[in-house]
């Protein structure tokens, strides 16, 4: 049965709950609203210190973004954006794994290597794939909601703004709620599954709890992530070469500061 771990469990090693327990919630720390800027600076430091790894994953993210931009221009419609984002949601977490692994190796005092970071995909792969599918399902659900809301779209071309308001207000509200849910369950899930090898539900519950406990800081962090993604797409994907590795490294540092560390006997 799912349960929430009491923080006291981590004060007494005899009471420590093993990572193999299913669907639990790992406790978190609380951070200040300025913490995201520290994570970003640490991410920038890792970006500079690991140029080869940063370039490799940056190029991967850039190629995916360029592919979406070219597909939209080729099709001449924005209807392909959502299906493209579903694919992006599937490959994104696995690319981020390499960045997390590289930062983790540097934290341990090791020399991070591209080959080692690529092998991170094999750590707890079943839970990671399950989570990627969960994100894809969320995006598909989002697409279906958008299709239903399209009934509110004005049927007359060139209709006044007031006719668009029901569509814009309801669509924006639904999109905002779904975006908040996806961000909350994914903020720290992948690092947890990689480092602790926990199951998907434990990672999701723990991530949601960490975001809920640090709302001001996570709002700032979400804004920084959105800004980095917007810069990437606004530059036809070229900005992804820089923004995504820095944000990936920064996410690892955010995870290590917020999620309580495991005690060893």
């Amino acid at each position: 049965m799912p349960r929430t771990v009491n923080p006291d469990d981590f004060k007494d090693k005899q009471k420590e709950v093993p990572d193999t327990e299913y669907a639990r919630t790992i406790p978190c720390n609380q951070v200040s609203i300025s913490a995201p800027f520290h994570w970003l600076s640490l991410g920038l430091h890792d970006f500079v210190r690991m140029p080869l790894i940063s370039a490799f994953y940056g190029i991967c993210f850039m190629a995916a973004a360029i592919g979406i931009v070219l597909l939209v221009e080729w099709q001449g419609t924005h209807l392909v954006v959502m299906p493209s984002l579903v694919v992006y949601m599937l490959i994104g977490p696995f690319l981020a794994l390499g960045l997390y692994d590289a930062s983790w190796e540097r934290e341990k005092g090791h020399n991070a290597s591209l080959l080692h970071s690529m092998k991170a995909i094999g750590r707890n792969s079943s839970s990671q794939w399950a989570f990627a599918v969960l994100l894809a399902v969320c995006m598909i659900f989002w697409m279906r909601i958008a299709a239903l809301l399209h009934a509110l779209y004005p049927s007359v071309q060139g209709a006044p703004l007031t006719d668009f308001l029901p569509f814009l207000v309801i669509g924006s509200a639904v999109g905002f709620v779904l975006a908040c849910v996806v961000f909350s369950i994914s903020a720290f899930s992948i690092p947890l599954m990689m480092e602790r090898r926990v199951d998907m539900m434990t990672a999701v519950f723990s991530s949601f709890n960490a975001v809920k406990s640090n709302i001001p800081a996570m709002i700032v962090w979400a804004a920084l992530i959105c800004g980095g993604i917007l810069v990437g797409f606004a530059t036809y994907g070229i900005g992804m070469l820089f923004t995504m590795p820095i944000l990936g490294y920064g996410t690892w540092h955010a995870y290590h500061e917020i999620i309580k560390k495991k005690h060893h006997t």
Side-chain angles (χ1 to χ4, degrees), residues 109-230:
H110 301 165
N111 291 323
S113 70
L114 179 59
L115 181 60
H116 190 280
S117 70
M118 294 173 69
K119 290 180 179 178
I121 296 177
R123 290 179 60 90
N124 201 7
S125 58
S126 59
S127 293
Q128 292 161 2
W129 269 113
F131 183 71
V133 172
L134 174 63
L135 290 182
V137 169
C138 290
M139 291 299 296
I140 293 171
F141 177 72
W142 200 332
M143 291 170 58
R144 299 310 304 162
I145 293 294
L148 291 174
L149 289 175
H150 198 267
L152 299 174
Y153 200 81
S155 57
V156 180
Q157 190 173 7
L161 179 61
T162 53
D163 290 351
F164 285 90
L165 285 179
F167 174 78
L168 293 175
V169 171
I170 298 177
S172 298
V174 172
F176 176 77
V177 171
L178 288 174
C180 288
V181 171
V182 170
F183 175 74
S184 297
I185 66 174
S186 62
F188 305 114
S189 296
I190 294 292
L192 260 172
M193 287 186 282
M194 183 188 76
E195 184 189 24
R196 302 275 192 97
R197 296 180 185 264
V198 299
D199 61 275
M200 182 192 72
M201 295 310 299
T202 292
V204 167
F205 290 162
S206 301
S207 178
F208 185 85
N209 179 64
V211 172
K212 183 186 67 174
S213 302
N214 293 277
I215 291 178
M218 297 313 296
I219 289 175
V220 174
W221 185 236
L224 291 173
I225 292 174
C226 290
I229 293 174
L230 287 175

Side-chain angles (χ1 to χ4, degrees), residues 35-48 221 246 250 253:
F37 298 102
H38 178 58
W39 305 334
L40 199 64
S41 67
L42 292 174
L44 179 59
H45 186 263
D46 285 350
F47 179 84
V48 174
W221 185 236
I246 293 173
H253 293 293

